Amino acid sequence: MPLSFPRKAPASGVSLPLAAADMAELLVTSAQPPPGRDLPGLWNSPAVPAALQRLILHHAYPGATGTPAGTPVLSQECQELENIRRRKQELLADIQRLKDEIAEVTNEIENLGSTEERKNMQRNKQVAMGRKKFNMDPKKGIQFLIENDLLKNTCEDIAQFLYKGEGLNKTAIGDYLGERDEFNIQVLHAFVELHEFTDLNLVQALRQFLWSFRLPGEAQKIDRMMEAFAQRYCQCNPGVFQSTDTCYVLSFAIIMLNTSLHNPNVKDKPTAERFIAMNRGINDGGDLPEELLQNLYESIKNEPFKIPEDDGNDLTHTFFNPDREGWLLKLGGRVKTWKRRWFILTDNCLYYFEYTTDKEPRGIIPLENLSIREVEDSKKPNCFELYIPDNKDQVIKACKTEADGRVVEGNHTVYRISAPTPEEKEEWIKCIKAAISRDPFYEMLAARKKKVSSTKRH
């Protein structure tokens, strides 16, 4: 509604509309407001635009630096309004900046999550690759894991990695622990330290120990590993044996007892009395309690040792200690082609597998009534043969698994085999000859018994 203002107090008392020009004239010519109106109220009315306010002030107070007495404090109010507007803009700018920062942080968190996930996936892939490399070549596998910061280069960390054994080939673990390098020996002792044998009898401790890896075939490796076991067992159970030598000898006696009782090829099964008699005088010249030996015998008789499958399945197997194992080339019987096979020599038998991780052998060659000899072959070096002496055309009693899973009799009159090097050929011939004639455990055990007797005399 337009403002009204009395021009010269008309008699009728009716207020006339006040035009902007008239109001400007009044305000310019007089510092006093017209009757009936206060200046601040008029000044702040919607009828006075900001541009007109500046024009009126300019004409009313030309060149003035302050507000004349009796006039409204217009400049201060404008300044406050301006401050409010400026503060509002600052707050809006701050709010927008916070929104941008929140969006940026949210984006970073999302990217961080996806980045960490990718890193974990990449790390898991590298660990899996390291395990595969370890199963093919233990030293190269450990080196790969260390170089990629997946494993610390300390004997304790490596021992823990082997002790957990996730995805690791038990044969590869045994090979690595049995190496004679000083660092490997330190890893072996750190590995054995992870086993807790306190309050376990010797058979129980052996079951636990031999489940964590597979004993290698070489006698020196077995010696180092069983020596470490004996030291750890005596450390956990002080006073049970007079010395670690006693524990060592009895441990081997138990392993041989297990083989004798549960290997179907062994016809002469030892009795408890025979087992006790075999172990007389091994406790630093004295005898171990018969009750202890009787209990150990019964434990092995009732439950043979278990060895873990390389894929981690908990299957029960008769414990066997390979005399030797490795890759060799075998000439086929009917089809004369050479095939690479993983051979294991144990219990007077020669087993061969297509892969080291196979659960079942592709073939089994019992060594009973066989002989071995070196031969020359025009196509392959370092050859030797298994044959039946004095029976040139007789088929060797053996068996193999066909591709469809059927087990069939072999059809070899001789088994011709090629080793990678002359040295390995000599070692295989030596080990096979020894396996045909005797059990390699006895020599090792006899040597330790001799050591015990010698210590007692001195």
Side-chain angles (χ1 to χ4, degrees):
M1 180 178 179
L3 290 173
S4 60
F5 193 84
R7 189 177 290 274
K8 288 188 179 179
S12 64
V14 178
S15 298
L16 299 175
L18 182 63
D22 297 331
M23 186 175 67
E25 181 182 354
L26 285 171
L27 292 175
V28 170
T29 56
S30 175
Q32 298 298 322
R37 288 283 179 172
D38 64 297
L39 188 56
L42 179 63
W43 182 265
N44 294 322
S45 70
V48 185
L52 182 58
Q53 290 176 349
R54 289 194 295 272
L55 179 62
I56 293 170
L57 290 173
H58 176 71
H59 286 284
Y61 311 107
T65 58
T67 302
T71 63
V73 191
L74 302 175
S75 60
Q76 182 178 346
E77 292 178 354
C78 291
Q79 185 64 42
E80 289 179 358
L81 182 61
E82 185 65 26
N83 289 341
I84 291 171
R85 289 172 176 166
R86 186 177 64 253
R87 182 59 180 155
K88 177 183 177 182
Q89 293 302 317
E90 291 175 355
L91 289 173
L92 290 174
D94 288 342
I95 291 171
Q96 187 59 45
R97 187 168 60 254
L98 288 173
K99 286 182 179 179
D100 293 341
E101 289 179 359
I102 291 171
E104 184 179 351
V105 170
T106 302
N107 188 49
E108 288 180 358
I109 291 173
E110 292 176 353
N111 290 338
L112 180 64
S114 59
T115 300
E116 286 298 320
E117 187 176 350
R118 285 196 296 269
K119 286 182 179 178
N120 288 336
M121 290 178 62
Q122 181 63 24
R123 186 180 188 279
N124 291 338
K125 287 182 180 179
Q126 287 185 316
V127 171
M129 186 180 297
R131 287 170 178 159
K132 288 182 179 178
K133 287 181 178 291
F134 178 88
N135 292 339
M136 291 186 289
D137 188 319
K139 285 191 174 182
K140 288 183 179 179
I142 294 294
Q143 183 180 356
F144 174 85
L145 292 168
I146 292 171
E147 289 175 352
N148 287 276
D149 296 325
L150 303 170
L151 190 64
K152 294 181 181 178
N153 191 18
T154 65
C155 56
E156 291 79 12
D157 277 73
I158 295 174
Q160 186 72 40
F161 172 73
L162 300 179
Y163 182 74
K164 290 180 178 178
E166 297 175 5
L168 301 182
N169 184 296
K170 300 296 184 180
T171 300
I173 294 175
D175 285 341
Y176 185 85
L177 293 174
E179 291 294 334
R180 64 181 180 180
D181 294 346
E182 183 60 32
F183 184 77
N184 290 69
I185 293 174
Q186 292 176 10
V187 173
L188 169 63
H189 283 277
F191 178 85
V192 176
E193 288 290 325
L194 294 172
H195 288 271
E196 182 53 61
F197 299 139
T198 303
D199 296 330
L200 298 181
N201 67 37
L202 192 57
V203 169
Q204 292 171 328
L206 279 169
R207 290 189 196 279
Q208 177 182 321
F209 184 59
L210 297 174
W211 180 253
S212 59
F213 66 98
R214 180 174 167 187
L215 275 174
E218 291 85 347
Q220 290 181 341
K221 289 185 177 182
I222 297 171
D223 180 68
R224 283 190 292 271
M225 299 171 87
M226 296 307 297
E227 181 70 42
F229 165 79
Q231 291 174 1
R232 176 61 176 166
Y233 184 84
C234 291
Q235 179 188 7
C236 292
N237 299 279
V240 173
F241 301 114
Q242 293 292 332
S243 68
T244 57
D245 286 330
T246 303
C247 182
Y248 176 99
V249 171
L250 185 56
S251 297
F252 268 112
I254 290 170
I255 292 173
M256 288 190 295
L257 174 67
N258 181 87
T259 302
S260 299
L261 287 176
H262 299 288
N263 187 339
N265 292 327
V266 178
K267 306 303 180 185
D268 184 17
K269 305 295 183 183
T271 62
E273 291 74 19
R274 181 176 165 189
F275 177 71
I276 293 170
M278 285 174 55
N279 291 287
R280 286 201 175 101
I282 66 172
N283 196 22
D284 276 0
D287 292 341
L288 290 167
E290 286 194 10
E291 182 181 0
L292 169 65
L293 296 175
Q294 181 72 38
N295 290 337
L296 296 178
Y297 177 90
E298 293 297 331
S299 179
I300 290 296
K301 181 180 179 182
N302 294 332
E303 183 183 359
F305 282 125
K306 295 179 181 179
I307 60 169
E309 286 290 334
D310 283 333
D311 60 2
N313 292 332
D314 296 346
L315 302 177
T316 301
H317 287 263
T318 301
F319 175 81
F320 62 88
N321 172 66
D323 303 318
R324 187 169 179 83
E325 54 192 338
W327 291 105
L328 296 170
L329 294 174
K330 183 184 77 69
L331 184 62
R334 185 178 293 108
V335 181
K336 301 299 182 181
T337 57
W338 292 91
K339 293 185 178 179
R340 188 170 183 257
R341 295 288 183 256
W342 177 258
F343 279 81
I344 293 178
L345 174 64
T346 185
D347 292 340
N348 293 340
C349 286
L350 195 59
Y351 301 82
Y352 59 89
F353 301 76
E354 189 170 357
Y355 304 103
T356 59
T357 53
D358 284 350
K359 295 180 182 180
E360 302 294 338
R362 290 297 302 272
I364 304 174
I365 309 170
L367 299 177
E368 185 179 5
N369 299 323
L370 296 185
S371 293
I372 188 170
R373 63 191 174 196
E374 294 185 48
V375 293
E376 295 292 332
D377 190 281
S378 59
K379 295 181 179 179
K380 296 294 178 183
N382 312 314
C383 289
F384 58 90
E385 281 184 344
L386 293 169
Y387 67 102
I388 301 175
D390 304 325
N391 288 277
K392 183 177 180 181
D393 297 324
Q394 184 177 345
V395 175
I396 295 174
K397 292 181 180 180
C399 64
K400 66 175 182 176
T401 305
E402 296 286 15
D404 59 5
R406 292 181 299 111
V407 178
V408 299
E409 291 186 2
N411 51 15
H412 287 260
T413 55
V414 296
Y415 279 92
R416 180 164 293 191
I417 297 170
S418 171
T421 66
E423 292 77 16
E424 290 189 61
K425 179 192 71 173
E426 294 299 328
E427 283 297 320
W428 274 104
I429 291 175
K430 177 182 175 183
C431 289
I432 291 173
K433 283 182 176 178
I436 292 172
S437 60
R438 59 177 171 76
D439 189 328
F441 269 137
Y442 283 102
E443 281 193 358
M444 196 181 302
L445 189 58
R448 185 54 65 101
K449 284 185 175 181
K450 184 177 180 181
K451 176 184 175 184
V452 171
S453 300
S454 175
T455 304
K456 181 66 177 178
R457 285 196 300 269
H458 290 82

